[in-house]
Amino acid sequence: MKRLLGIIFAACTILLAGCASTISSDVTAFHAWPADLKDKSFVFTPTRDQEGSLEYRNYEQLIRAELLRLGFADAVSAKTARLKVAFSYGMQAGTVVVTEPAYDPFWYGPGWHRSWGPWGPGPFYDPFWSPPMQTTTFPVLQRRLYLTITRADNDQKLYEVTVDSEGREATLPMAMPYMVRSAFSDFPGPSGVSRHVELKLDKPKASATVAPAAPANPS
């Protein structure tokens, strides 16, 4: 039993380490993307509440970079744009409840209840002697990005994607670069199919260090 608990503990440790080094997202896209669409000039269409928001502008730049990477182009003006891009985002706090056996020497020590079977002594299941359970609650951040691409002339929706991501540490600004990349992974991808996308966190850039000034030589 102690060996089993050790395996469970090791697995949980690996899981937590993986959560700290990756951003996981559930991506669901619906599209009617025309194969013959040549002019992919686009313009963003923020809502009234999004206009003037520095946070919105930051995410807009992330989405623009992905679109340009995929062969889209910034429109010269809103009147000449063939496509319109709109998106919304948000985050809320939630909880995850985990129920697991609790380790207690009283239950798992030398006096662990055993019975004799046809092949000698061995453990048996008895609800009265089953290990006690403990419930642990963890805070979790639930993040969402919703994005659409429509035709500018008739508002026909061509691409619609929802990215849901949750974690215990990364706030929305920290996770958004990875959520945007997940939204356009395998673009346009299968329609109406949910996919799990996991991206490794970029290594933090090393900060520049300034060497201390050498002491002046005495005159």
Side-chain angles (χ1 to χ4, degrees):
M1 180 61 68
K2 291 183 179 179
R3 181 173 179 271
L4 175 60
L5 291 174
I7 295 174
I8 294 175
F9 177 78
C12 293
T13 303
I14 294 174
L15 178 61
L16 291 176
C19 292
S21 61
T22 61
I23 292 289
S24 299
S25 301
D26 292 319
V27 181
T28 305
F30 296 89
H31 68 83
W33 198 259
D36 58 346
L37 183 63
K38 296 181 180 180
D39 188 347
K40 294 189 288 186
S41 58
F42 67 92
V43 64
F44 285 96
T45 56
T47 64
R48 181 176 298 180
D49 293 337
Q50 292 172 336
E51 291 180 351
S53 168
L54 296 179
E55 182 181 15
Y56 172 87
R57 295 302 177 190
N58 182 274
Y59 302 155
E60 180 184 282
Q61 292 303 318
L62 295 174
I63 295 171
R64 172 179 282 107
E66 284 298 303
L67 291 173
L68 295 179
R69 181 185 65 83
L70 292 170
F72 290 73
D74 275 310
V76 177
S77 66
K79 293 182 178 180
T80 61
R82 293 299 182 92
L83 302 172
K84 296 190 298 185
V85 180
F87 65 94
S88 58
Y89 49 88
M91 183 180 69
Q92 64 181 7
T95 56
V96 172
V97 179
V98 177
T99 302
E100 57 188 354
Y103 174 74
D104 189 332
F106 174 78
W107 293 93
Y108 305 119
W112 175 246
H113 196 56
R114 305 177 71 88
S115 69
W116 286 81
W119 299 277
F124 72 96
Y125 174 76
D126 188 331
F128 178 77
W129 291 96
S130 61
M133 306 298 288
Q134 68 177 6
T135 300
T136 307
T137 302
F138 299 98
V140 65
L141 300 176
Q142 299 170 333
R143 308 169 290 246
R144 168 166 288 191
L145 168 66
Y146 174 74
L147 180 143
T148 62
I149 302 177
T150 60
R151 290 187 182 272
D153 55 353
N154 59 8
D155 288 331
Q156 177 189 359
K157 193 172 292 185
L158 300 180
Y159 187 71
E160 177 182 19
V161 62
T162 301
V163 181
D164 287 313
S165 177
E166 65 178 33
R168 296 179 58 189
E169 297 178 358
T171 60
L172 187 60
M174 294 171 59
M176 187 59 74
Y178 306 94
M179 295 174 66
V180 170
R181 284 158 56 184
S182 298
F184 293 103
S185 63
D186 194 26
F187 179 86
S191 181
V193 177
S194 295
R195 297 177 291 120
H196 186 75
V197 180
E198 187 168 351
L199 299 176
K200 290 185 178 180
L201 293 175
D202 297 331
K203 293 183 179 180
K205 297 181 180 179
S207 57
T209 56
V210 179
N217 294 325
S219 57

